[in-house]
Amino acid sequence: MKRRATFSACHRLHSPHLNDEENKKVYGKCNHIHGHGHNYVVFVTLFGEIDPKTGMVMNMTDLKRYMDEAIMRPMDHKNLDKDVPFFQIRPSTTENVAVFIWDSLRSVMDQPHLLFEVKIYETENNIVRYRGDGDEDY
Ligand SMILES: Nc1nc2c(c(=O)[nH]1)N=C([C@H](O)[C@H](O)COP(=O)(O)OP(=O)(O)OP(=O)(O)O)CN2
Ligand SMILES: [Zn+2]
């Protein structure tokens, strides 16, 4: 089962591990000092057994609540670099946004083992899939 969410956020690609010149060279226009925005689209996929009593792997209403807490509340209409502590020590690339969502979801879910995949579209063309350690598709 899969659920979709969209959120809008701004960011600037800038690594604390690179100097200003290196940042400009690596990230180009995405390093512009005033940042830029995206309408991110996220698909969260769960994988598990159908509960014979409920007919559900998980109640979509519960999944919506987890996604609101782990994705929408921290990131929607926010500046990722300034508002989300996770991105104060690492660049807010789509790869790292996927890891943040994965970790956040697992921390709020009652059954975190059901989380199978986080797929995020930063733009129509820039897509990252993350399935936890060792099974990423960057
Ligand atoms: N490996 C990554 N590379 C880049 C990331 C990223 O998250 N991971 N992000 C960016 C920028 O955030 C940038 O905003 C991407 O925008 P843009 O190049 O405009 O996006 P498109 O490719 O969809 O636009 P086109 O007009 O089709 O070029 C850059 N790199
Ligand atoms: Zn960007």
Side-chain angles (χ1 to χ4, degrees):
M1 56 178 281
K2 206 181 286 283
R3 186 174 169 89
R4 176 182 182 271
T6 64
F7 68 94
S8 303
C10 66
H11 75 151
R12 175 195 186 202
L13 289 187
H14 187 91
S15 172
H17 307 293
L18 302 172
N19 66 33
D20 286 351
E21 196 184 331
E22 290 168 329
N23 267 294
K24 200 167 182 184
K25 192 171 171 200
V26 170
Y27 298 123
K29 66 178 181 180
C30 302
N31 182 244
H32 179 63
I33 192 158
H34 297 305
H36 60 275
H38 297 288
N39 294 317
Y40 292 87
V41 180
V42 186
F43 289 89
V44 172
T45 305
L46 306 186
F47 182 79
E49 299 289 321
I50 300 172
D51 182 323
K53 284 183 267 182
T54 64
M56 300 184 284
V57 175
M58 179 189 288
N59 191 323
M60 287 281 190
T61 307
D62 292 334
L63 181 56
K64 178 185 186 322
R65 182 164 44 82
Y66 297 141
M67 289 170 68
D68 283 348
E69 200 171 329
I71 300 171
M72 304 307 287
R73 197 186 304 169
M75 293 195 290
D76 189 34
H77 285 73
K78 298 283 170 60
N79 180 319
L80 299 182
D81 309 316
K82 294 182 196 294
D83 294 316
V84 186
F86 188 83
F87 300 114
Q88 282 164 14
I89 53 167
R90 48 178 76 73
S92 51
T93 58
T94 317
E95 291 90 327
N96 280 335
V97 174
V99 173
F100 172 77
I101 291 172
W102 177 273
D103 291 348
S104 302
L105 277 170
R106 282 190 60 97
S107 74
V108 298
M109 287 170 66
D110 287 337
Q111 298 170 288
H113 63 278
L114 294 179
L115 183 59
F116 176 68
E117 179 177 284
V118 169
K119 190 172 187 180
I120 176 160
Y121 290 69
E122 182 191 55
T123 70
E124 282 182 358
N125 306 316
N126 297 343
I127 304 153
V128 165
R129 185 198 74 174
Y130 186 66
R131 292 182 177 176
D133 289 343
D135 197 10
E136 53 274 1
D137 178 12
Y138 293 143

